[in-house]
Amino acid sequence: MGKKLQIIFIKICLFCLLAFGIYDTGASQAVADLFPLSTSAFLAQPVRDSVITIQIGDKEGWRGLALSATKNSFGELLDGLGGQVASGSNKPDATPAIITWMEKEGGSFAHPGTLTEAVEGGRGYFVYLSGRNSLKEAFKEGGFPKTIRVDRSNLQQTVTVEVGATDSNENGSIDAFEGFNLIGNPFGQAISAGALMTALRANEAHINENLYLWKAGAGDGNGMFEPVSGKKKIPPYKAFWVRYLNPGFKKIIRFDSTALELQGRDNLYIQDAKSLGSFNIRLSDGERFDSFRIGFKESGEVGEDRWDGYKIASLNSQAVNLFSTLSSGAKISKNILPLELDGELEIPLSFSAADEQLSFSFLWEAPDEIPAGWELMLLDRQEDRKINLRSSTSYSFHLSESNRVKEKRSDGDHLPHIDVTPDSEGRFAMLISPSSRTLPAKQPLPEAVSLKPNYPNPFTTTTTIPYELNKETMVSLTIWNMIGQKVATLIDDEPKSAGLHNSDPDIKWNAAHMPSGMYIVRLEAEGEVFTRKITLIK
């Protein structure tokens, strides 16, 4: 290969590193080792051995950021991002380009006092990336991704950060947005949410079992704070929320990058083994959408519990926000319920959206993960309608200006809010009417054998593969890879009773030892074969 072609090849490789992830001197040095004669002029020291570059963002908007202990100032951090400026600049009234969260006094966003202040290691920040520059060239500012440069000598393997839960209204409990802390993964490797939870549970702290990660592109650009737990990953240098629920709790948390990585590999985080499935409903304004999810666990409760996912408003001012308000006043985006319900349960649904939006649609897929005998309905009180969530997949409605109950923000309010004031409250609800899950006691027998969709799908470690039988018969349930090799046998020609099998222990496949990819589930019953594709992602 000629020198000219080698240089072109290296430019392409380095551009890909910039576009899709974090680029540091390790990558550049590896390329230089391969082609020592052709790269020195091209690199021209854009990244020195003492500097780490972090590439963030793919379009304009807010992004979460965290660093380990660093001496970099906010001014240095903002340099070249193309965003608006913070307090202490020549535009103090502009919307700040970087903000953090103050947990005390009920919780609120704040911006740095001056641009000369140092970034606090382990603390979470939101940085606004402006799209006003259209260039998109490697090693040049403007366009996306944006580049942040941090001195490697300032970064540390161990980081400490203060967390707490302040009962600001002194009512003896943590409510509203008290107890929320904005911190982050300050290291250069992804860490499982479960490993971080282990570190965050200091001194038997009562903690919500979710971390909340900002997803700017979720919901077709709507943006949302996704509740994550277990083996789900917090990417390098990403901010996240955690909520402590002990009134008066205050603690210095120590993050050690090596220990967190090992904990994530050993899967020390333990969740409920028993579950019943989940159901997801979306609300769309025609361009963007937000989601609300119900799920079932053995330790779930009808009221607020530690498994529920709180609703944190999207940082996008034009976003749709869908949520439910519990009797405790908590606003949630994920409601985890017990496996057994005493009777019909009503879950109120509220939402907020941009002021000019008046037409909306609820959208959902068939609730195949919920037992077939359970009734799920969407209630519209204003139209006096009940929509069967099993027999339809959408419902459209119009919101009149007189329906809006949201208070307008003042023009001088530049900082985002994480609380949500509904546009419509009391109009919509989801109704769940359970029946016995023991077949055939109260449910009719299935008309035929069927292999149901697995859940979750895609999955990261374990998935449940339900099926139905119209009579007692011999069953085999196996897993095959895409080249026709059998990789697991869950049921080996065993007699199974008629009915829906969705909670048997032998229909759960633990694929922790398997590589990512697509697999085939094969059900054999009554002389017939049924197959379904499933996807494993790690």
Side-chain angles (χ1 to χ4, degrees), residues 390-408:
R390 293 191 184 275
S391 60
S392 58
T393 58
S394 66
Y395 177 68
S396 299
F397 64 95
H398 189 76
L399 182 68
S400 67
E401 287 286 357
S402 60
N403 292 144
R404 291 186 181 273
V405 299
K406 183 170 58 177
E407 294 181 2
K408 307 297 184 183

Side-chain angles (χ1 to χ4, degrees), residues 182-194:
L182 182 60
I183 54 179
N185 173 8
F187 306 118
Q189 73 266 12
I191 300 174
S192 74

Side-chain angles (χ1 to χ4, degrees), residues 266-281:
D266 294 341
N267 191 28
L268 297 179
Y269 186 76
I270 300 175
Q271 292 181 306
D272 275 0
K274 294 182 180 180
S275 64
L276 185 61
S278 61
F279 173 69
N280 189 64
I281 189 169

Side-chain angles (χ1 to χ4, degrees), residues 1 6 9-10 30-40:
M1 181 184 294
Q6 289 179 352
F9 174 75
I10 299 306
V31 175
D33 290 342
L34 288 173
F35 301 99
L37 298 178
S38 62
T39 59
S40 57

Side-chain angles (χ1 to χ4, degrees), residues 57 93 95 102 104 116 135 143 164 178 193 201 211 216 271 307 335 366 383 430 439 463 474 503 510 513 517 530:
D93 293 332
T95 300
M102 306 300 292
K104 297 180 180 180
T116 58
L135 292 175
E178 297 172 343
R201 288 192 192 91
L211 304 179
Q271 292 181 306
W307 304 101
N335 193 0
E383 300 296 329
M430 189 185 303
L439 294 175
T463 188
M474 303 298 288
S503 59
N510 188 333
H513 61 292
F530 305 83

Side-chain angles (χ1 to χ4, degrees), residues 101-108 163-168 174 177-181 249:
W101 181 254
M102 306 300 292
E103 188 276 328
K104 297 180 180 180
E105 300 180 5
S108 62
V163 295
T166 305
D167 180 14
S168 60
I174 297 299
F177 284 90
E178 297 172 343
F180 276 90
N181 293 259
F249 179 82

